[in-house]
Amino acid sequence: MKTLAAQVITPEDLLKHWQGHRALTRRVIEAFPEKDFFEFSIGGMRPFAKLVDELLAIAAPALKGIVNRDSKPYTEGEEKLIFKAQYLEKWDEATEEINKYWEQLSIEDFSETFNLFGQYEFPIIHNILYFVDNEVHHRGQAYVYLRALNIEPPFFWERP
């Protein structure tokens, strides 16, 4: 039988934290004008649509891989989305998938090592924290884009 280390945050609170970030990122996607979502960039960074492609390729597929212990390789942008509304729809679908797969995790799973995408062999909790960190990082880039476009981004602390 495994002995669990002291718990700082419950799985339910961690999911709520992650989904709060996802809700904020969704509002950032909504704030972009259609054309700029796909084309605007600064300093050689990818347009926000490309960053969202990455976020969509990581969150739900990675969590599904963790739950099923399937380390198939990372793939991005297989589905060619051409409208911002399609991204929002995919975002919402991924949010539901995350909720579905999250329910299948046990508290013991978080400390197990898993080779995510066959490349990243870390404890599952580290991978999940990376998903959140990566999203925050790319959302920060989007905030710079929005400000450069003279659009006030959503307040970063307003996460449901």
Side-chain angles (χ1 to χ4, degrees):
M1 172 181 261
K2 287 186 178 181
T3 304
L4 298 176
Q7 185 174 316
V8 174
I9 187 171
T10 66
E12 296 77 20
D13 285 342
L14 179 55
L15 177 61
K16 183 178 177 183
H17 177 78
W18 185 12
Q19 291 293 25
H21 278 288
R22 289 185 55 77
L24 178 54
T25 301
R26 189 186 197 288
R27 291 196 344 259
V28 171
I29 295 167
E30 289 173 332
F32 268 84
E34 185 83 20
K35 182 179 187 292
D36 293 321
F37 178 70
F38 291 96
E39 297 177 8
F40 189 81
S41 74
I42 296 173
M45 294 188 297
R46 295 173 285 171
F48 195 42
K50 292 293 182 194
L51 301 176
V52 174
D53 281 336
E54 178 184 315
L55 298 175
L56 287 169
I58 291 174
L63 192 58
K64 178 181 180 183
I66 287 169
V67 167
N68 294 326
R69 300 303 194 267
D70 180 0
S71 59
K72 74 175 166 186
Y74 173 81
T75 57
E76 182 181 318
E78 291 180 331
E79 200 172 352
K80 298 296 176 207
L81 307 177
I82 58 171
F83 299 107
K84 190 173 73 168
Q86 292 173 303
Y87 278 85
L88 292 168
E89 183 179 326
K90 291 294 177 191
W91 194 264
D92 294 342
E93 289 171 9
T95 297
E96 291 306 313
E97 267 191 85
I98 290 166
N99 289 337
K100 177 179 109 176
Y101 287 110
W102 192 269
E103 291 175 8
Q104 297 175 48
L105 289 173
S106 72
I107 191 73
E108 293 84 8
D109 288 331
F110 290 94
S111 61
E112 286 187 19
T113 297
F114 176 69
N115 192 5
L116 183 65
F117 299 127
Q119 299 180 20
Y120 308 104
E121 191 148 352
F122 298 107
I124 288 169
I125 186 63
H126 293 188
N127 282 313
I128 292 169
L129 293 172
Y130 168 79
F131 305 158
V132 178
D133 292 345
N134 188 52
E135 181 175 331
V136 170
H137 164 71
H138 288 318
R139 190 174 64 236
Q141 291 173 277
Y143 272 57
V144 171
Y145 291 174
L146 288 172
R147 291 205 181 274
L149 292 165
N150 292 314
I151 298 169
E152 183 74 26
F155 296 125
F156 73 89
W157 58 86
E158 290 184 350
R159 297 188 314 263

